[in-house]
Amino acid sequence: MLYARYRRLASNNMGEAGKTVLRRSLTEAGRHLMPCVSGFGECGDLLDVPLFGPLDSAATLVITGAKGVPVVCTVPMEMKNRRLTIYPIHKECHQLLAKAAVLQIEHPDHPIVPVLVCRRAHPRLFWMAKDLGFLVHQTGRQYTRLPKGTTPAHVEVLRTELGLTGLTVVNDKTPLIRTFFEQTLPNRAQATAARWKATAAYVLPYAEQLRVEGPDSTQRADLIRELRQEAEWVLDSAGCKNNNLGWSLPDLEEVDE
């Protein structure tokens, strides 16, 4: 009964609840962020580039660069408000990367900073993000709205009996994603955009395959390994230092016959 109640919340409310928190956070984060669509809404094309599907949000970020010169970045964003812990093999991250890669290829000199917001990300996803040039923020919460017939007491039972401690009802008192958008994003935007500029064209063929259900888990792991191998060469060629490169399976060893 409790799991059925959770499924009802998940199927009817959580997608929009997560987007609501994301957009409210962007609206209140400060004037360094400006919406690409009114109210930071869904973005079907960006910078005059049609995308694989609409982004959950997109913003123009203005920061102070070298010698006080303003730098304007575009920030495509996806909100994945799911229980899933997201790994590099999961389609949720590659749906963002495929769209952001197309944008970068069409605008090769424009700083682009892809941002993925999710409930929980595996450390390997953070390592991949740092190497390739995108940002991941985990909220530790799964947002929901109360459908008709569901009360806050029902949600509290789900938290205690099913261990869904991060289940959070969206209302006027819901904590927003403030520190990330006020501090982390502007502080890391230029370095992240520089890496994404170097890697985007190489990421796109892999992200196009991984953004859908198609490949099975073994194939997905192999694709991530191939992406990491290519990224190693690309990052070295671009002069990028302090790369992690530990976010995929190890290289296959050659066997002597």
Side-chain angles (χ1 to χ4, degrees):
M1 181 189 70
L2 291 176
Y3 188 65
R5 183 181 297 166
Y6 170 73
R7 290 292 299 271
R8 182 180 175 214
L9 289 176
S11 63
N12 294 333
N13 301 281
M14 290 183 174
E16 288 305 315
K19 293 174 189 178
T20 296
V21 173
L22 174 65
R23 292 164 187 163
R24 282 179 51 197
S25 301
L26 289 164
T27 300
E28 298 187 22
R31 289 184 293 178
H32 60 291
L33 286 165
M34 294 171 285
C36 294
V37 172
S38 177
F40 293 99
E42 283 191 352
C43 209
D45 60 74
L46 188 58
L47 301 176
D48 296 321
V49 178
L51 303 173
F52 291 111
L55 291 158
D56 291 332
S57 190
T60 298
L61 169 68
V62 181
I63 54 178
T64 303
K67 300 181 181 180
V69 177
V71 177
V72 179
C73 306
T74 296
V75 186
M77 286 171 271
E78 292 278 10
M79 166 58 116
K80 302 301 182 183
N81 186 33
R82 302 186 57 192
R83 294 297 303 171
L84 175 73
T85 297
I86 300 179
Y87 282 73
I89 65 168
H90 286 134
K91 66 181 184 345
E92 283 75 10
C93 57
H94 296 282
Q95 289 167 351
L96 168 68
L97 298 184
K99 299 168 190 176
V102 170
L103 288 174
Q104 188 69 79
I105 291 167
E106 291 295 323
H107 297 274
D109 297 321
H110 184 67
I112 292 174
V113 188
V115 170
L116 176 69
V117 182
C118 59
R119 185 192 73 90
R120 187 178 179 188
H122 190 272
R124 288 190 178 187
L125 185 64
F126 284 101
W127 302 343
M128 184 174 81
K130 189 264 182 185
D131 281 355
L132 297 184
F134 65 101
L135 296 177
V136 177
H137 177 69
Q138 59 179 7
T139 64
R141 300 173 183 272
Q142 187 176 28
Y143 303 102
T144 187
R145 292 192 181 278
L146 294 180
K148 186 176 180 180
T150 304
T151 68
H154 290 145
V155 175
E156 187 59 33
V157 171
L158 293 177
R159 290 195 190 103
T160 56
E161 297 298 326
L162 296 183
L164 304 178
T165 54
L167 198 57
T168 301
V169 177
V170 174
N171 53 41
D172 292 340
K173 298 180 180 180
T174 302
L176 299 179
I177 308 165
R178 297 291 294 270
T179 303
F180 176 80
F181 288 120
E182 291 173 349
Q183 300 177 23
T184 306
L185 175 58
N187 289 342
R188 295 180 59 186
Q190 282 189 281
T192 300
R195 282 180 176 260
W196 186 245
K197 180 180 178 181
T199 65
Y202 301 92
V203 171
L204 181 57
Y206 296 96
E208 283 184 315
Q209 297 178 72
L210 290 163
R211 69 185 178 89
V212 296
E213 293 286 356
D216 63 28
S217 58
T218 300
Q219 292 172 314
R220 300 182 82 87
D222 287 340
L223 286 167
I224 291 297
R225 175 166 44 207
E226 293 171 17
L227 172 58
R228 193 264 305 157
Q229 290 170 332
E230 191 152 13
E232 186 172 2
W233 174 81
V234 171
L235 293 169
D236 185 62
S237 300
C240 297
K241 306 297 183 182
N242 303 316
N243 305 311
N244 186 289
L245 300 171
W247 35 272
S248 78
L249 294 175
D251 293 343
L252 294 172
E253 294 184 5
E254 293 186 4
V255 179
D256 294 330
E257 295 184 359

mmCIF file of all heavy atoms in Angstrom, residues 217-247:
data_model
loop_
_atom_site.group_PDB
_atom_site.id
_atom_site.type_symbol
_atom_site.label_atom_id
_atom_site.label_comp_id
_atom_site.label_asym_id
_atom_site.label_seq_id
_atom_site.Cartn_x
_atom_site.Cartn_y
_atom_site.Cartn_z
ATOM 1 N N SER A 217 23.331 -2.676 -20.320
ATOM 2 C CA SER A 217 24.283 -2.155 -19.343
ATOM 3 C C SER A 217 25.727 -2.441 -19.725
ATOM 4 O O SER A 217 26.623 -1.607 -19.506
ATOM 5 C CB SER A 217 23.977 -2.718 -17.957
ATOM 6 O OG SER A 217 24.019 -4.128 -17.973
ATOM 7 N N THR A 218 25.988 -3.609 -20.318
ATOM 8 C CA THR A 218 27.346 -3.946 -20.741
ATOM 9 C C THR A 218 27.808 -3.026 -21.860
ATOM 10 O O THR A 218 28.936 -2.504 -21.838
ATOM 11 C CB THR A 218 27.420 -5.414 -21.202
ATOM 12 O OG1 THR A 218 27.041 -6.271 -20.122
ATOM 13 C CG2 THR A 218 28.831 -5.765 -21.646
ATOM 14 N N GLN A 219 26.939 -2.813 -22.837
ATOM 15 C CA GLN A 219 27.285 -1.923 -23.938
ATOM 16 C C GLN A 219 27.498 -0.492 -23.442
ATOM 17 O O GLN A 219 28.402 0.210 -23.909
ATOM 18 C CB GLN A 219 26.185 -1.952 -24.996
ATOM 19 C CG GLN A 219 26.061 -3.279 -25.740
ATOM 20 C CD GLN A 219 24.834 -3.322 -26.632
ATOM 21 O OE1 GLN A 219 23.734 -2.954 -26.235
ATOM 22 N NE2 GLN A 219 25.038 -3.758 -27.876
ATOM 23 N N ARG A 220 26.670 -0.072 -22.500
ATOM 24 C CA ARG A 220 26.787 1.284 -21.969
ATOM 25 C C ARG A 220 28.132 1.446 -21.251
ATOM 26 O O ARG A 220 28.806 2.473 -21.398
ATOM 27 C CB ARG A 220 25.614 1.601 -21.037
ATOM 28 C CG ARG A 220 24.257 1.518 -21.698
ATOM 29 C CD ARG A 220 23.130 1.880 -20.741
ATOM 30 N NE ARG A 220 22.977 3.319 -20.645
ATOM 31 C CZ ARG A 220 22.232 4.050 -21.467
ATOM 32 N NH1 ARG A 220 21.570 3.482 -22.459
ATOM 33 N NH2 ARG A 220 22.151 5.347 -21.310
ATOM 34 N N ALA A 221 28.506 0.459 -20.462
ATOM 35 C CA ALA A 221 29.791 0.523 -19.756
ATOM 36 C C ALA A 221 30.952 0.574 -20.744
ATOM 37 O O ALA A 221 31.933 1.302 -20.529
ATOM 38 C CB ALA A 221 29.928 -0.677 -18.822
ATOM 39 N N ASP A 222 30.845 -0.182 -21.838
ATOM 40 C CA ASP A 222 31.897 -0.167 -22.858
ATOM 41 C C ASP A 222 31.975 1.196 -23.546
ATOM 42 O O ASP A 222 33.071 1.702 -23.840
ATOM 43 C CB ASP A 222 31.644 -1.259 -23.900
ATOM 44 C CG ASP A 222 31.929 -2.659 -23.373
ATOM 45 O OD1 ASP A 222 32.665 -2.773 -22.361
ATOM 46 O OD2 ASP A 222 31.417 -3.637 -23.961
ATOM 47 N N LEU A 223 30.819 1.812 -23.812
ATOM 48 C CA LEU A 223 30.810 3.137 -24.426
ATOM 49 C C LEU A 223 31.441 4.180 -23.512
ATOM 50 O O LEU A 223 32.180 5.061 -23.972
ATOM 51 C CB LEU A 223 29.373 3.540 -24.784
ATOM 52 C CG LEU A 223 28.759 2.845 -26.003
ATOM 53 C CD1 LEU A 223 27.256 3.094 -26.066
ATOM 54 C CD2 LEU A 223 29.431 3.315 -27.293
ATOM 55 N N ILE A 224 31.159 4.081 -22.221
ATOM 56 C CA ILE A 224 31.755 5.022 -21.273
ATOM 57 C C ILE A 224 33.272 4.839 -21.231
ATOM 58 O O ILE A 224 34.038 5.804 -21.144
ATOM 59 C CB ILE A 224 31.139 4.854 -19.874
ATOM 60 C CG1 ILE A 224 29.682 5.337 -19.878
ATOM 61 C CG2 ILE A 224 31.932 5.621 -18.813
ATOM 62 C CD1 ILE A 224 29.513 6.820 -20.175
ATOM 63 N N ARG A 225 33.722 3.588 -21.280
ATOM 64 C CA ARG A 225 35.174 3.345 -21.304
ATOM 65 C C ARG A 225 35.792 3.969 -22.558
ATOM 66 O O ARG A 225 36.854 4.607 -22.484
ATOM 67 C CB ARG A 225 35.453 1.848 -21.261
ATOM 68 C CG ARG A 225 36.948 1.521 -21.411
ATOM 69 C CD ARG A 225 37.254 0.095 -21.041
ATOM 70 N NE ARG A 225 36.291 -0.828 -21.585
ATOM 71 C CZ ARG A 225 35.992 -2.009 -21.033
ATOM 72 N NH1 ARG A 225 36.610 -2.394 -19.929
ATOM 73 N NH2 ARG A 225 35.110 -2.815 -21.586
ATOM 74 N N GLU A 226 35.133 3.796 -23.715
ATOM 75 C CA GLU A 226 35.652 4.382 -24.952
ATOM 76 C C GLU A 226 35.672 5.912 -24.867
ATOM 77 O O GLU A 226 36.620 6.561 -25.334
ATOM 78 C CB GLU A 226 34.808 3.926 -26.134
ATOM 79 C CG GLU A 226 34.920 2.445 -26.449
ATOM 80 C CD GLU A 226 33.920 1.978 -27.484
ATOM 81 O OE1 GLU A 226 33.354 2.837 -28.198
ATOM 82 O OE2 GLU A 226 33.669 0.761 -27.578
ATOM 83 N N LEU A 227 34.620 6.486 -24.274
ATOM 84 C CA LEU A 227 34.575 7.941 -24.098
ATOM 85 C C LEU A 227 35.715 8.408 -23.205
ATOM 86 O O LEU A 227 36.392 9.399 -23.506
ATOM 87 C CB LEU A 227 33.228 8.357 -23.504
ATOM 88 C CG LEU A 227 33.094 9.831 -23.086
ATOM 89 C CD1 LEU A 227 33.356 10.759 -24.258
ATOM 90 C CD2 LEU A 227 31.709 10.078 -22.495
ATOM 91 N N ARG A 228 35.954 7.695 -22.121
ATOM 92 C CA ARG A 228 37.037 8.077 -21.213
ATOM 93 C C ARG A 228 38.400 7.973 -21.898
ATOM 94 O O ARG A 228 39.266 8.833 -21.736
ATOM 95 C CB ARG A 228 36.995 7.193 -19.965
ATOM 96 C CG ARG A 228 37.884 7.699 -18.817
ATOM 97 C CD ARG A 228 39.240 7.011 -18.806
ATOM 98 N NE ARG A 228 39.070 5.576 -18.761
ATOM 99 C CZ ARG A 228 40.004 4.719 -19.169
ATOM 100 N NH1 ARG A 228 41.150 5.153 -19.682
ATOM 101 N NH2 ARG A 228 39.794 3.420 -19.101
ATOM 102 N N GLN A 229 38.595 6.933 -22.714
ATOM 103 C CA GLN A 229 39.856 6.792 -23.439
ATOM 104 C C GLN A 229 40.069 7.959 -24.402
ATOM 105 O O GLN A 229 41.167 8.501 -24.508
ATOM 106 C CB GLN A 229 39.865 5.462 -24.194
ATOM 107 C CG GLN A 229 39.958 4.239 -23.289
ATOM 108 C CD GLN A 229 39.722 2.931 -24.036
ATOM 109 O OE1 GLN A 229 39.009 2.903 -25.048
ATOM 110 N NE2 GLN A 229 40.290 1.852 -23.546
ATOM 111 N N GLU A 230 38.997 8.347 -25.099
ATOM 112 C CA GLU A 230 39.106 9.475 -26.023
ATOM 113 C C GLU A 230 39.308 10.772 -25.257
ATOM 114 O O GLU A 230 40.093 11.637 -25.664
ATOM 115 C CB GLU A 230 37.861 9.555 -26.906
ATOM 116 C CG GLU A 230 38.021 10.525 -28.051
ATOM 117 C CD GLU A 230 37.181 10.155 -29.265
ATOM 118 O OE1 GLU A 230 36.295 9.286 -29.151
ATOM 119 O OE2 GLU A 230 37.430 10.738 -30.324
ATOM 120 N N ALA A 231 38.613 10.909 -24.127
ATOM 121 C CA ALA A 231 38.747 12.123 -23.326
ATOM 122 C C ALA A 231 40.174 12.294 -22.809
ATOM 123 O O ALA A 231 40.674 13.423 -22.715
ATOM 124 C CB ALA A 231 37.764 12.083 -22.154
ATOM 125 N N GLU A 232 40.820 11.193 -22.480
ATOM 126 C CA GLU A 232 42.196 11.266 -21.991
ATOM 127 C C GLU A 232 43.097 11.942 -23.020
ATOM 128 O O GLU A 232 43.906 12.819 -22.688
ATOM 129 C CB GLU A 232 42.705 9.863 -21.660
ATOM 130 C CG GLU A 232 44.074 9.834 -21.014
ATOM 131 C CD GLU A 232 44.461 8.453 -20.527
ATOM 132 O OE1 GLU A 232 43.680 7.497 -20.729
ATOM 133 O OE2 GLU A 232 45.557 8.339 -19.935
ATOM 134 N N TRP A 233 42.955 11.539 -24.279
ATOM 135 C CA TRP A 233 43.755 12.141 -25.350
ATOM 136 C C TRP A 233 43.358 13.604 -25.583
ATOM 137 O O TRP A 233 44.216 14.482 -25.729
ATOM 138 C CB TRP A 233 43.562 11.336 -26.630
ATOM 139 C CG TRP A 233 44.222 11.968 -27.815
ATOM 140 C CD1 TRP A 233 45.540 11.893 -28.172
ATOM 141 C CD2 TRP A 233 43.588 12.808 -28.794
ATOM 142 N NE1 TRP A 233 45.769 12.627 -29.318
ATOM 143 C CE2 TRP A 233 44.601 13.189 -29.717
ATOM 144 C CE3 TRP A 233 42.279 13.250 -28.984
ATOM 145 C CZ2 TRP A 233 44.316 14.014 -30.810
ATOM 146 C CZ3 TRP A 233 41.998 14.060 -30.063
ATOM 147 C CH2 TRP A 233 43.007 14.444 -30.958
ATOM 148 N N VAL A 234 42.060 13.878 -25.589
ATOM 149 C CA VAL A 234 41.576 15.235 -25.855
ATOM 150 C C VAL A 234 42.042 16.195 -24.770
ATOM 151 O O VAL A 234 42.524 17.302 -25.054
ATOM 152 C CB VAL A 234 40.036 15.244 -25.959
ATOM 153 C CG1 VAL A 234 39.510 16.674 -26.007
ATOM 154 C CG2 VAL A 234 39.578 14.477 -27.190
ATOM 155 N N LEU A 235 41.898 15.804 -23.512
ATOM 156 C CA LEU A 235 42.283 16.675 -22.406
ATOM 157 C C LEU A 235 43.784 16.934 -22.399
ATOM 158 O O LEU A 235 44.236 18.046 -22.109
ATOM 159 C CB LEU A 235 41.838 16.055 -21.078
ATOM 160 C CG LEU A 235 40.320 15.977 -20.875
ATOM 161 C CD1 LEU A 235 39.992 15.114 -19.664
ATOM 162 C CD2 LEU A 235 39.707 17.359 -20.728
ATOM 163 N N ASP A 236 44.549 15.904 -22.707
ATOM 164 C CA ASP A 236 45.998 16.073 -22.774
ATOM 165 C C ASP A 236 46.363 17.031 -23.902
ATOM 166 O O ASP A 236 47.222 17.914 -23.738
ATOM 167 C CB ASP A 236 46.671 14.717 -22.973
ATOM 168 C CG ASP A 236 48.189 14.815 -22.920
ATOM 169 O OD1 ASP A 236 48.718 15.210 -21.861
ATOM 170 O OD2 ASP A 236 48.847 14.496 -23.935
ATOM 171 N N SER A 237 45.713 16.898 -25.051
ATOM 172 C CA SER A 237 45.990 17.779 -26.185
ATOM 173 C C SER A 237 45.610 19.223 -25.882
ATOM 174 O O SER A 237 46.256 20.163 -26.369
ATOM 175 C CB SER A 237 45.229 17.301 -27.424
ATOM 176 O OG SER A 237 45.612 15.994 -27.784
ATOM 177 N N ALA A 238 44.549 19.403 -25.079
ATOM 178 C CA ALA A 238 44.084 20.751 -24.728
ATOM 179 C C ALA A 238 44.866 21.358 -23.576
ATOM 180 O O ALA A 238 44.617 22.515 -23.199
ATOM 181 C CB ALA A 238 42.601 20.713 -24.387
ATOM 182 N N GLY A 239 45.787 20.602 -22.990
ATOM 183 C CA GLY A 239 46.585 21.105 -21.875
ATOM 184 C C GLY A 239 45.848 21.140 -20.552
ATOM 185 O O GLY A 239 46.248 21.862 -19.636
ATOM 186 N N CYS A 240 44.775 20.352 -20.426
ATOM 187 C CA CYS A 240 44.013 20.306 -19.173
ATOM 188 C C CYS A 240 44.754 19.440 -18.154
ATOM 189 O O CYS A 240 45.159 18.317 -18.464
ATOM 190 C CB CYS A 240 42.610 19.747 -19.419
ATOM 191 S SG CYS A 240 41.613 20.766 -20.524
ATOM 192 N N LYS A 241 44.910 19.952 -16.955
ATOM 193 C CA LYS A 241 45.662 19.261 -15.915
ATOM 194 C C LYS A 241 44.725 18.704 -14.841
ATOM 195 O O LYS A 241 43.547 19.031 -14.781
ATOM 196 C CB LYS A 241 46.666 20.222 -15.265
ATOM 197 C CG LYS A 241 47.595 20.913 -16.259
ATOM 198 C CD LYS A 241 48.485 19.915 -16.997
ATOM 199 C CE LYS A 241 49.463 20.633 -17.929
ATOM 200 N NZ LYS A 241 50.300 19.689 -18.698
ATOM 201 N N ASN A 242 45.296 17.861 -13.972
ATOM 202 C CA ASN A 242 44.575 17.301 -12.821
ATOM 203 C C ASN A 242 43.305 16.565 -13.232
ATOM 204 O O ASN A 242 42.238 16.745 -12.640
ATOM 205 C CB ASN A 242 44.241 18.408 -11.799
ATOM 206 C CG ASN A 242 45.470 19.136 -11.313
ATOM 207 O OD1 ASN A 242 46.482 18.510 -11.000
ATOM 208 N ND2 ASN A 242 45.400 20.459 -11.253
ATOM 209 N N ASN A 243 43.415 15.736 -14.248
ATOM 210 C CA ASN A 243 42.270 14.944 -14.696
ATOM 211 C C ASN A 243 42.144 13.687 -13.841
ATOM 212 O O ASN A 243 43.143 13.080 -13.449
ATOM 213 C CB ASN A 243 42.459 14.568 -16.161
ATOM 214 C CG ASN A 243 42.694 15.791 -17.041
ATOM 215 O OD1 ASN A 243 41.945 16.756 -16.960
ATOM 216 N ND2 ASN A 243 43.728 15.759 -17.859
ATOM 217 N N ASN A 244 40.900 13.282 -13.580
ATOM 218 C CA ASN A 244 40.672 12.110 -12.736
ATOM 219 C C ASN A 244 40.762 10.819 -13.535
ATOM 220 O O ASN A 244 41.526 9.918 -13.211
ATOM 221 C CB ASN A 244 39.310 12.216 -12.034
ATOM 222 C CG ASN A 244 39.090 11.100 -11.050
ATOM 223 O OD1 ASN A 244 38.889 9.948 -11.428
ATOM 224 N ND2 ASN A 244 39.146 11.418 -9.763
ATOM 225 N N LEU A 245 39.936 10.733 -14.585
ATOM 226 C CA LEU A 245 39.950 9.597 -15.522
ATOM 227 C C LEU A 245 39.683 8.262 -14.842
ATOM 228 O O LEU A 245 40.058 7.207 -15.353
ATOM 229 C CB LEU A 245 41.288 9.545 -16.271
ATOM 230 C CG LEU A 245 41.622 10.785 -17.115
ATOM 231 C CD1 LEU A 245 43.048 10.716 -17.633
ATOM 232 C CD2 LEU A 245 40.637 10.934 -18.262
ATOM 233 N N GLY A 246 38.994 8.289 -13.680
ATOM 234 C CA GLY A 246 38.668 7.047 -12.998
ATOM 235 C C GLY A 246 37.190 6.722 -13.033
ATOM 236 O O GLY A 246 36.703 5.958 -12.202
ATOM 237 N N TRP A 247 36.468 7.297 -13.999
ATOM 238 C CA TRP A 247 35.011 7.197 -13.996
ATOM 239 C C TRP A 247 34.468 6.129 -14.929
ATOM 240 O O TRP A 247 33.266 6.065 -15.174
ATOM 241 C CB TRP A 247 34.375 8.545 -14.337
ATOM 242 C CG TRP A 247 35.103 9.386 -15.332
ATOM 243 C CD1 TRP A 247 36.094 10.300 -15.087
ATOM 244 C CD2 TRP A 247 34.886 9.434 -16.753
ATOM 245 N NE1 TRP A 247 36.505 10.901 -16.256
ATOM 246 C CE2 TRP A 247 35.785 10.390 -17.286
ATOM 247 C CE3 TRP A 247 34.018 8.757 -17.614
ATOM 248 C CZ2 TRP A 247 35.837 10.694 -18.643
ATOM 249 C CZ3 TRP A 247 34.075 9.059 -18.964
ATOM 250 C CH2 TRP A 247 34.967 10.010 -19.466
#
